[in-house]
Amino acid sequence: RRMAAAAAAWGVGPMAAVAGEIARAVGERLSAGAETVIVENGGDIYARTPEPLRMGLYAGERSPFTGRAEFLLDASGGVGVATSSGTVGHSFSYGRADAVMAVADDAAFADAAATAIANAVRGPGDVESVVSAFESRPGLRALAVCAGDRMGFWGGIELVSPRAGRFEGCRR
């Protein structure tokens, strides 16, 4: 039911939320006995940490952002982080995003969001308009979109990598 609800909110099939839902279910169960919990399931994450969570973004070996783009986010109350791609990995996508990272209170919701948003990216020229189109969606806490040499991000994440230097084509 949780997968179906998350998928319906984003107009994708329920299997688009399965990895996020499994991460959430395991993470919430583990949270009963631990202060810090991070469960990663194929790029979909449930995390609850007392300190801000620092995450790297993998957008493929050719991406100028891989190994350089790191984000800081608040995971104190539990957070779902999901990544989807049309160019990296084996999962099917209608889009051509190198990486879309969605952050939400619920990991299944983040998983469905990342899938739907990645489907909307046809190339680097779409990054800014896709971020703008989805930044006001209820339930979405933050978003990062990478395609080619362009990256855009919005919401409750901060680009913090000391290795980042200045990114051309990066917009907040």
Side-chain angles (χ1 to χ4, degrees):
R1 285 190 293 260
R2 292 174 67 97
M3 289 167 43
W10 286 95
V12 294
M15 293 307 287
V18 67
E21 178 55 22
I22 290 170
R24 182 212 56 83
V26 171
E28 286 186 358
R29 182 119 345 136
L30 292 172
S31 291
E35 182 179 44
T36 298
V37 174
I38 301 172
V39 176
E40 189 273 339
N41 184 15
D44 302 298
I45 298 166
Y46 169 86
R48 188 177 60 102
T49 64
E51 300 294 324
L53 182 63
R54 188 179 189 127
M55 300 189 70
L57 182 72
Y58 182 79
E61 292 301 317
R62 292 182 167 175
S63 174
F65 306 110
T66 293
R68 295 176 60 208
E70 296 177 8
F71 293 95
L72 197 62
L73 63 111
D74 177 9
S76 59
V79 67
V81 181
T83 305
S84 188
S85 175
T87 63
V88 178
H90 61 277
S91 296
F92 177 77
S93 176
Y94 290 106
R96 299 301 302 155
D98 293 324
V100 169
M101 181 180 75
V103 181
D105 291 333
D106 180 80
F109 187 88
D111 195 0
T115 299
I117 296 166
N119 285 341
V121 178
R122 300 288 179 231
D126 291 340
V127 169
E128 192 169 336
S129 63
V130 167
V131 171
S132 293
F134 290 101
E135 69 184 9
S136 62
R137 279 296 292 267
L140 196 60
R141 287 175 45 179
L143 171 64
V145 177
C146 295
D149 63 349
R150 312 288 298 170
M151 177 171 64
F153 61 100
W154 161 87
I157 56 176
E158 179 184 350
L159 185 62
V160 295
S161 177
R163 297 183 307 264
R166 227 181 101 85
F167 286 126
E168 293 302 318
C170 181
R171 301 278 187 271
R172 178 165 175 112

